[in-house]
Amino acid sequence: MMLFSKIRTGPRPRPFTSGTNLKKKTPSIPSILANVLLIVLALLFLFPFYWIVTGAFKVQNVAVAIPPQWFPTDPTLENFKVLFKNPVWRWGFNSFFVASSEMIGVCLTASMAGYVLAKKAFPGRKIIFILFVSAMALPKQVILVPLFTMLADLNWIDTYKGLILPAIGWPFGVFLMKQFAQTIPSELMEAAKMDGCSEVRLFGTIILPLLKPALGALAIFTFINAWNDYFSQLIITRSTPMMTLPLGLATLQGEYTTPYGVLMAGAALASLPMIMIFLLFQKAFTQGITMGAVKG
């Protein structure tokens, strides 16, 4: 008992923790303002899509009412019923087939051309690249007349070939792939050649996998550009079965009245493939548009 009475009693020492004396970092005013600004901009960009989706379920008098009805209190599917009385599925197939074919063709040709311009030394390489960059500055309307004449001589007017093949050689795709291919170490290709790797195998098994981030970004750019290429498709197509979805929706406008609800229903459906393509390649999107600009 005497032994235990000599033991000093007192508060137990607190265990040492590295974060005991550290204060939580409070967000600064500039970071808070930046986040608020980003949220406001995101809402502004999302508002047109929200208005299209909600307008697809409004009747005509509600869709054009002032003040507007922000949310349909009496939603209806009548707009979709009127929309599908037209060959919408055919128009949607044409748009998806043309956009997908252009996306695959542009990614394939641009990756090969960009790799050659970035990693192969041959006379006139810089001049060819300058020509590609210069072609990016030309408006599409400038080349439509000679392009139409050429397609008419080939009997490609109102055909899938006329819609797809002229867009395969996209200068922007070559520029993006060339900038990204420059970041690939040349030692990697030299080591593959020392192991007996052929040029075709080198490109297919080594270069293409390394170009995936840039290919993902280019796939999104190409698909959206082809899907929304209203002017070129208007010039090349003639018959209703060959129309794409943007062209077909434009024909639904009347001479004196415009069915806004039907057009919004069609626009909502037309936006779904672009959203799916973006979600499919979103992981590579940011990498592709930033890493390709590291070297130039």
Side-chain angles (χ1 to χ4, degrees), residues 3-278:
L3 177 64
F4 290 103
S5 63
K6 293 182 179 180
I7 298 177
R8 298 178 64 181
T9 60
R12 295 181 180 181
R14 291 183 298 177
F16 174 76
T17 57
S18 59
T20 303
N21 298 325
L22 296 178
K23 296 181 179 180
K24 292 184 178 180
K25 185 178 180 181
T26 58
S28 60
I29 294 179
S31 64
I32 295 175
L33 294 177
N35 291 331
V36 172
L37 179 62
L38 290 176
I39 293 173
V40 172
L41 290 176
L43 293 176
L44 288 176
F45 284 119
L46 287 174
F47 178 76
F49 182 71
Y50 167 79
W51 188 253
I52 288 173
V53 173
T54 56
F57 297 94
K58 298 176 183 177
V59 294
Q60 176 70 7
N61 59 345
V62 177
V64 298
I66 297 176
Q69 188 179 96
W70 300 108
F71 188 82
T73 57
D74 189 15
T76 178
L77 295 176
E78 187 63 27
N79 294 323
F80 291 94
K81 294 178 181 179
V82 175
L83 178 65
F84 284 108
K85 291 180 180 179
N86 301 278
V88 177
W89 293 114
R90 175 70 181 187
W91 297 340
F93 170 78
N94 291 340
S95 289
F96 188 80
F97 178 73
V98 171
S100 301
S101 301
E102 287 188 21
M103 179 183 68
I104 296 172
V106 168
C107 289
L108 182 60
T109 57
S111 60
M112 292 189 291
Y115 162 66
V116 170
L117 291 173
K119 293 300 181 181
K120 300 297 180 181
F122 57 91
R125 180 181 65 170
K126 292 184 178 180
I127 297 177
I128 294 175
F129 181 68
I130 291 174
L131 291 176
F132 273 106
V133 175
S134 301
M136 294 170 56
L138 288 176
K140 185 177 295 184
Q141 291 78 3
V142 174
I143 64 172
L144 274 180
V145 174
L147 177 63
F148 180 84
T149 304
M150 185 184 300
L151 294 178
D153 293 338
L154 295 172
N155 293 323
W156 284 4
I157 299 297
D158 204 32
T159 63
Y160 289 119
K161 293 182 291 185
L163 289 170
I164 297 171
L165 293 182
I168 295 299
W170 195 20
F172 173 76
V174 178
F175 172 79
L176 181 63
M177 290 294 107
K178 191 259 185 184
Q179 297 301 103
F180 192 91
Q182 286 181 337
T183 64
I184 299 176
S186 300
E187 293 79 6
L188 187 63
M189 295 178 290
E190 294 174 359
K193 290 181 180 179
M194 291 179 63
D195 291 337
C197 187
S198 64
E199 194 67 42
V200 176
R201 185 179 178 186
L202 172 66
F203 179 77
T205 60
I206 297 178
I207 302 301
L208 272 183
L210 294 176
L211 291 177
K212 278 185 178 180
L215 287 173
L218 182 59
I220 295 175
F221 291 146
T222 308
F223 189 91
I224 294 177
N225 180 70
W227 187 272
N228 296 325
D229 192 10
Y230 176 86
F231 193 64
S232 298
Q233 296 166 2
L234 177 64
I235 299 299
I236 297 172
T237 56
R238 287 290 179 269
S239 60
T240 301
M242 281 301 300
M243 285 184 177
T244 57
L245 192 55
L247 294 179
L249 293 178
T251 61
L252 300 181
Q253 299 183 23
E255 184 177 0
Y256 301 104
T257 59
T258 300
Y260 290 103
V262 178
L263 291 178
M264 289 185 181
L269 292 178
S271 64
L272 294 180
M274 291 186 287
I275 295 174
M276 291 188 294
I277 289 295
F278 181 79

